[in-house]
Amino acid sequence: MRPVVPAGPAADAAGGRRRTAIILDCDPGHDDALAMLLALARPEVRLLGVTTVAGNATLAHTTRNALAVLTLAGRTDIPVGAGADRPLRRSLQVADHVHGESGLEGAELPVPAIDPWPEGAVELMAHLIGASSEAVTLVPVGPLTNVAMFLDAYPTLAGRIAHICVMGGAIGEGNITPAAEFNIWQDPEAAARVFASGRPVTMIGLDVTHQALFTLADAERLRSLATRTGAVFADLLRYFARFHADRYGWEGSPIHDAVAVAHVLDLGLVETRSARVEVETGDESSRGRTIVELVDPADQERLAPNAEVGVRIDRERFVELLVAAVAAFP
Ligand code: BDR
Ligand code: CA
């Protein structure tokens, strides 16, 4: 297996249409895997590369999962950079109670047909952002370790980041603790760095992703596509649904990470509000809490918003988008 080489600026012109250049930073993860398919399927975005981080599972697992999903989708042209194997200052605590030990339990995935990019996630981000003819949108849907490391390592390239659309945080709930959402909780120091970066940040938190339920009936629609990708994702979503049935009594799963990609598509699915977001970096009970103050337009000067925060999503359109994304692959 040879590592794939990132595409250069020549790949920018796609049928004359302007596409948002994105890098997906992820820890696959069931919902990460669907976010990846959505980013690959849609014409509104051009996926420059995928970077992986430890979170839902160890880095070895999340990287292998990313490579396997790209192999399944037949998109072995997308470079994958393996990133941080632990948070900046904390020890890693995987979410195997949600995603299983491998991070992507429930289905048989192909053996990866590609290797990771040899220099790793931060270098891959620098290479792709430096080579891009337009500013690049980062879509981090795991702990924010890689993004924080990139911002510190390449301050001059940070100005070429158009937007950072984060899946993480919440206005009013938690999932790993009563106070915090998993991605922010895992590496709160990295998250604080990103919210303080001065780049345009959107926070797609649990308040909106918990509205984005993909039901078991929706999963069966994927099976009835009668494709390998459809069958794999139907199985994955059946596994993912177990945790949400036990924990919340839901008949489906929130596809958290795909909401961040859906927002970047700019199809008007996700409603956001300006806000001031601070990340709690203290210990235990408040660790990783996002303190969100929604800012009225009249108060913008006084409260200096540092993010847009997702508050609502059109679930039906979101589900249709995901079904169509899965249907785009063999
Ligand atoms: C987030 O945590 C992970 O388990 C999911 O992949 C998602 O990114 C939701 O809290
Ligand atoms: Ca994730």
Side-chain angles (χ1 to χ4, degrees):
M1 291 194 297
R2 279 182 301 123
V4 281
V5 177
D12 287 356
R17 200 175 156 199
R18 196 129 195 97
R19 305 166 86 186
T20 303
I22 70 169
I23 296 173
L24 184 69
D25 182 61
C26 57
D27 60 338
H30 296 72
D31 52 329
D32 305 70
L34 259 178
M36 205 182 290
L37 277 200
L38 184 59
L40 290 168
R42 295 299 307 186
E44 295 85 358
V45 291
R46 189 160 60 84
L47 182 61
L48 301 182
V50 171
T51 49
T52 57
V53 64
N56 286 326
T58 62
L59 183 69
H61 280 309
T62 60
T63 303
R64 185 181 168 87
N65 292 343
L67 296 166
V69 170
L70 290 171
T71 301
L72 176 71
R75 293 301 307 271
T76 52
D77 56 312
I78 305 287
V80 176
D85 62 3
R86 46 164 295 182
L88 295 179
R89 293 199 207 142
R90 320 258 176 168
S91 57
L92 175 68
Q93 297 193 39
V94 298
D96 51 358
H97 60 298
V98 183
H99 299 273
E101 194 198 333
S102 73
L104 213 42
E105 297 288 344
E108 194 77 35
L109 282 149
V111 173
I114 39 171
D115 287 333
W117 205 59
E119 292 160 63
V122 170
E123 294 305 315
L124 180 58
M125 282 180 185
H127 178 88
L128 294 172
I129 293 170
S132 175
S133 57
E134 63 192 279
V136 173
T137 290
L138 299 184
V139 190
V141 298
L144 286 154
T145 324
N146 289 340
V147 180
M149 289 171 73
F150 172 77
L151 292 171
D152 283 342
Y154 289 97
T156 51
L157 282 180
R160 295 186 46 76
I161 298 174
H163 176 198
I164 308 178
C165 187
V166 175
M167 189 283 127
I171 302 172
E173 53 186 310
N175 59 359
I176 186 74
T177 71
E181 180 282 329
F182 177 77
N183 289 339
I184 306 295
W185 176 89
Q186 183 76 246
D187 196 343
E189 286 76 19
R193 174 74 182 85
V194 170
F195 279 99
S197 67
R199 303 313 304 153
V201 174
T202 300
M203 179 182 110
I204 299 294
L206 297 177
D207 321 272
V208 62
T209 68
H210 279 178
Q211 299 168 36
L213 283 195
F214 200 85
T215 65
L216 286 173
D218 296 326
E220 287 316 304
R221 287 177 65 192
L222 302 184
R223 196 178 307 285
S224 62
L225 293 170
T227 59
R228 184 176 183 202
T229 306
V232 164
F233 275 85
D235 288 345
L236 288 175
L237 288 163
R238 184 161 283 282
Y239 182 95
F240 196 39
R242 279 190 227 163
F243 167 78
H244 300 97
D246 293 350
R247 164 85 183 265
Y248 299 101
W250 293 342
E251 282 177 22
S253 313
I255 313 299
H256 307 279
D257 296 348
V259 179
V261 173
H263 182 55
V264 168
L265 301 178
D266 203 16
L267 300 171
L269 260 71
V270 180
E271 184 186 327
T272 62
R273 297 268 313 270
S274 287
R276 178 92 213 149
V277 180
E278 305 290 343
V279 178
E280 181 59 67
T281 53
D283 277 325
E284 293 329 310
S285 66
S286 61
R287 167 181 169 180
R289 170 125 197 115
T290 45
I291 301 160
V292 179
E293 181 164 14
L294 297 177
V295 178
D296 281 332
D299 255 352
Q300 299 255 348
E301 217 162 289
R302 188 175 64 84
L303 286 170
N306 62 348
E308 291 289 310
V309 172
V311 291
R312 234 176 307 283
I313 184 167
D314 182 335
R315 189 195 85 87
E316 308 220 319
R317 282 180 66 203
F318 176 67
V319 168
E320 292 313 313
L321 209 58
L322 292 184
V323 173
V326 176
F329 297 95

